[in-house]
């Protein structure tokens, strides 16, 4: 079973058709989940896109985690959402409790502890390594990831510069898995790309 969450970036796909084709390929590869993270969209535009993405994910038995728009989740009957911590903090407890899977983005140990206290079932922690998405900002590193994992009891997914070459180090810090975006959106073969995250770690464990 995969421990990789895939995060979308529709601009890398060229157009809507290309994006949905990529989403279907990701869903068919059965990652741990797909986070529909399209922050520049209005709520109405996001909802229209979410309808199509949810259908594709359900067809392949892959969990689709909506992002930011809590009302869209309610309208579409989606029980899985990922929120920025400020949005999560403003959400009443009764609304938080309706979600089966509730995640938040955390950038410090304190934020991770706060997210768990607010009822998160998992968090993302980053960015761990230097990445083009955060040009000029050094990664917080494996030491940071290790501290976060030690302070919370919910699954932690590392984000930022994660590759098949460093996923083993991420797992050894206690992380439940990792998030990938640019790699899974840009690669030629999604399944082969995701499979490498498992194979590489197995090879390292065997000393190969």
């Amino acid at each position: 079973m995969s421990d990789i969450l895939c995060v979308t970036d529709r601009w890398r796909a060229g157009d809507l058709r290309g994006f949905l084709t990529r989403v279907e390929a990701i869903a068919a590869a059965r990652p741990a989940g797909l986070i529909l993270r399209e922050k520049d969209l209005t709520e109405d535009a996001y909802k229209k896109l979410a309808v199509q993405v949810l259908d594709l994910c359900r067809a392949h038995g892959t969990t689709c985690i909506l992002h930011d728009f809590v009302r869209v989740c309610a309208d579409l009957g989606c029980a899985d959402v990922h929120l920025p911590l400020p949005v999560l903090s403003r959400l009443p407890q009764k609304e938080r409790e309706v979600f089966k899977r509730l995640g938040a983005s955390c950038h410090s140990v304190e934020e991770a502890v706060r997210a768990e206290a607010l009822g998160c079932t998992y968090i993302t922690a980053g960015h761990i390594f230097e990445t083009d998405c955060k040009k000029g900002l050094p990664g917080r590193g494996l030491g940071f990831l290790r501290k976060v994992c030690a302070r919370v009891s919910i699954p932690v997914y590392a984000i930022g510069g994660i590759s098949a070459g460093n996923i083993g180090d991420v797992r050894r810090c206690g992380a439940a898995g990792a998030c990938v975006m640019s790699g899974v959106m840009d690669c030629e073969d999604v399944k082969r790309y995701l499979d490498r995250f498992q194979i590489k770690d197995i090879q390292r464990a065997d000393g190969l």
Side-chain angles (χ1 to χ4, degrees), residues 4-24:
I4 302 298
L5 291 173
C6 296
V7 183
T8 68
D9 180 358
R10 76 186 191 286
W11 293 108
R12 291 179 175 272
D15 57 17
L16 178 60
R17 183 176 180 179
F19 175 68
L20 293 176
T21 297
R22 175 61 49 151
V23 165
E24 182 162 26

Side-chain angles (χ1 to χ4, degrees), residues 3 34 42 68 95 109 122 134 145 152 161 174 178 187 201 207:
D3 59 358
L34 181 145
T42 64
D68 207 359
E95 292 187 44
V109 173
Y122 79 95
K134 302 281 187 180
L145 178 61
V152 298
C187 67
D201 199 36

Side-chain angles (χ1 to χ4, degrees), residues 1 5 26-27 34 40 45 47 52 70 106 116 143 178 181 197:
M1 180 179 292
L5 291 173
I26 293 172
L34 181 145
D40 63 314
K47 183 178 179 179
Q52 298 177 81
V70 174
C106 300
E116 183 174 30
M181 182 181 70
F197 281 84

Side-chain angles (χ1 to χ4, degrees), residues 37 104-109 111 123-146 148 156-163 166 170 177-182:
R37 182 180 178 268
S105 303
C106 300
H107 307 95
S108 69
V109 173
E111 287 185 355
I123 60 170
T124 61
H127 64 285
I128 303 304
F129 303 109
E130 189 172 340
T131 172
D132 287 343
C133 297
K134 302 281 187 180
K135 281 188 176 180
L137 293 176
R140 291 181 170 86
L142 293 170
F144 161 74
L145 178 61
R146 195 173 293 110
V148 170
V156 177
Y157 289 83
I159 191 169
I162 311 300
S163 69
N166 58 38
V170 165
C179 300
V180 295
M181 182 181 70
S182 57

Side-chain angles (χ1 to χ4, degrees), residues 35-37 39 46 65-73 80-92 95-97 99 101-107 111 115 118 120 122-124:
I35 300 176
L36 182 61
R37 182 180 178 268
K39 298 194 297 181
Y46 183 88
I65 304 168
L66 300 187
H67 188 277
D68 207 359
F69 296 111
V70 174
R71 189 163 57 184
V72 172
C73 293
D80 307 282
V81 70
H82 188 97
L83 301 173
L85 191 57
V87 176
L88 173 66
S89 299
R90 294 192 299 267
L91 199 65
E95 292 187 44
R96 298 197 302 267
E97 290 176 346
F99 292 106
R101 192 171 189 176
L102 177 62
S105 303
C106 300
H107 307 95
E111 287 185 355
L118 288 169
C120 279
Y122 79 95
I123 60 170
T124 61

